[in-house]
Amino acid sequence: MIWNRDIECMNRDEMRKLQDRRLIDLVAKVYNHVPFYKRKMDELGVKPTDIKGIEDITKLPFTYKQDLRDNYPFGLFAVPMKDIVRVHGSSGTTGKPTTVGYTRNDIENWKEVTARCFSMAGITSKDIVQVSYGYGLFTGGLGAHYGAENVGCSVIPMSGGNTRRQLQLMCDFGSTVLACTPSYALHMADAMKDFGYSIDDMKLRVGVFGAEPWTEAMRHELEKKLHIHAHDIYGLSEIMGPGVSMDCEYHDGLHIHEDHFFPEIVDPETKEPLPDGTEGELVFTTLTKEGIPLLRYNTRDLSTLNHEPCACGRTLVRMRKITGRSDDMLIIRGVNLFPSQIEHVLLELGETSAHYILYVDRQNNLDTLELQVELDENHMLDTIRDLQMLTRRIEHALNSACGLTIKVTLVQPKTIARSEGKAIRVVDKRKK
Ligand code: DLL
């Protein structure tokens, strides 16, 4: 189902012309209304009239999360507060939160792109959508809510947490769509038995999962456990919230709503633009945002771009599923490691649950890694010897996949803390 065929299947030359026009307007707007950008552009010696279209985008300055923090709370807004109808923000686990503001038009555009996403997953007005992303400053709850409502679905604004009640209402209301983080979806799937439910009591058919990295292996796991088609929804509060991109039924990358968010991939070190297919940091310029328009915002998420048309008929550029963030990458004894690699290995092996936590420490100036993995309660092992053999198999598989020695400790089911939002996968004790 294609929500907005004119845009989603637009001829690429036409799309480029639309982006050119929008970029020119955007640059004039930020130069005249956001002192931060006027200063940045003056420093680079770039005038709005130097930007004639997308081909000039690399002349523009980058924006980083720190710039939002430095201008906390509303310093990068391009309109007066009377025109802002909504404020969201990041949870801000470290330091100040980052705040973003939306005009009425921004909210309309957000509703449009999230509706495109829900339609991409085959969701229609007949669906009952349980939104279990957190409602509040986090964009997940309200973002998914408005999108589903725009499609005409019956929306259940559950927010995160209270898993027993989530399952009760999922069963009683016959929810057909679950929207939450993949880690929370996994927790709900595993908790069904504890609360006396089985998947046969549920009418779920689609999952709209995002807000954290997850692997293809996890997608298959969730599809199997929940009897659904699982789709990946991506976004970030600085750019809009959920709905920047989404994968279609072919699951071969996420279609970016590039009429609103212009993507680039840049080298993490040099910040030079990289061609299609080469991995780097994903950067977005918001082409239509009024509240807090951003030039070349560096997300630090690692991906690649693909401009080939998709089998679904959409011409929108695709980004590869995010494997991690450049600032989440662990460097252990000179080897790069992403938590997603661990998830992949555990699910491939299929002998434990997918609940894990990685402890990083330093002893005698050497980095050490300990992976705690929960045993699968449906496949409990009887003897110590069996447990030792399983431990060794996991250690071996991790070593082959990551090139690192990781000590594995098997722990009892349900002993690793569950997340109702974004999961914490790594505890880096070196930082204490
Ligand atoms: O997580 C917005 C969102 C809500 C997206 C619900 C999808 C669903 P922030 O809290 O600002 O916004 O966090 C943004 O989360 O830069 C990525 O690192 C990560 N992220 C978001 N979606 C995905 C995804 C929301 N599908 C940060 N895959 C981003 C991997 C994701 N990482």
Side-chain angles (χ1 to χ4, degrees), residues 133 138-140 211-213 232-237 301 325 422:
Y133 288 114
F138 176 56
T139 52
E212 63 186 7
D232 191 1
I233 186 163
Y234 169 85
L236 60 165
S237 56
D301 290 321
R325 300 170 53 77
K422 298 182 193 242

Side-chain angles (χ1 to χ4, degrees), residues 22-271:
R22 289 184 170 176
L23 182 68
I24 292 166
D25 291 350
L26 167 76
V27 171
K29 185 161 64 187
V30 297
Y31 189 83
N32 293 320
H33 297 288
V34 187
F36 166 81
Y37 280 122
K38 178 168 188 320
R39 200 175 60 245
K40 282 256 182 188
M41 286 175 59
D42 286 347
E43 275 165 21
L44 291 173
V46 188
K47 291 269 165 292
T49 46
D50 295 333
I51 307 300
K52 308 236 164 13
I54 293 290
E55 76 271 16
D56 295 320
I57 201 163
T58 52
K59 295 179 182 159
L60 294 168
F62 285 105
T63 311
Y64 294 94
K65 202 179 192 81
Q66 190 59 41
D67 297 321
L68 275 89
R69 291 210 176 106
D70 292 345
N71 291 281
Y72 172 84
F74 306 141
L76 294 186
F77 289 12
V79 296
M81 281 311 275
K82 74 171 177 45
D83 295 331
I84 295 287
V85 299
R86 176 99 65 82
V87 170
H88 278 289
S90 73
S91 52
T93 39
T94 51
K96 285 177 185 167
T98 49
T99 18
V100 290
Y102 303 72
T103 64
R104 214 176 278 281
N105 267 339
D106 292 336
I107 298 284
E108 285 306 312
N109 287 334
W110 195 8
K111 274 161 65 176
E112 156 74 20
V113 293
T114 39
R116 289 186 204 165
C117 292
F118 276 84
S119 304
M120 234 182 255
I123 296 164
T124 70
S125 59
K126 295 197 185 113
D127 279 296
I128 301 179
V129 179
Q130 182 157 337
V131 178
S132 307
Y133 288 114
Y135 281 65
L137 276 185
F138 176 56
T139 52
L142 283 166
H145 184 115
Y146 273 58
E149 214 170 71
N150 195 14
V151 170
C153 308
S154 315
V155 185
I156 309 170
M158 286 298 291
S159 200
N162 200 343
T163 307
R164 176 195 292 270
R165 194 152 177 82
Q166 297 273 358
L167 295 172
Q168 183 197 344
L169 298 195
M170 187 185 289
C171 173
D172 294 350
F173 293 178
S175 308
T176 55
V177 177
L178 175 63
C180 64
T181 59
S183 54
Y184 193 40
L186 183 69
H187 174 43
M188 278 200 223
D190 292 345
M192 272 187 201
K193 207 164 122 205
D194 301 342
F195 293 124
Y197 294 99
S198 109
I199 191 65
D200 298 328
D201 299 322
M202 309 297 178
K203 295 213 172 67
L204 284 184
R205 59 175 209 91
V206 180
V208 179
F209 304 138
E212 63 186 7
W214 54 306
T215 57
E216 268 302 289
M218 179 65 93
R219 192 162 72 76
H220 295 310
E221 179 81 1
L222 289 169
E223 292 192 329
K224 198 171 70 196
K225 285 200 160 164
L226 289 169
H227 298 188
I228 54 170
H229 291 291
H231 288 258
D232 191 1
I233 186 163
Y234 169 85
L236 60 165
S237 56
E238 292 85 348
I239 297 303
M240 189 65 108
V244 171
S245 65
M246 172 92 174
D247 61 352
C248 64
E249 68 269 32
Y250 292 94
H251 304 291
D252 188 13
L254 287 75
H255 292 281
I256 300 174
H257 300 299
E258 57 176 314
D259 51 325
H260 295 287
F261 320 112
F262 183 82
E264 296 171 84
I265 294 282
V266 302
D267 185 300
E269 298 295 322
T270 64
K271 310 296 175 204

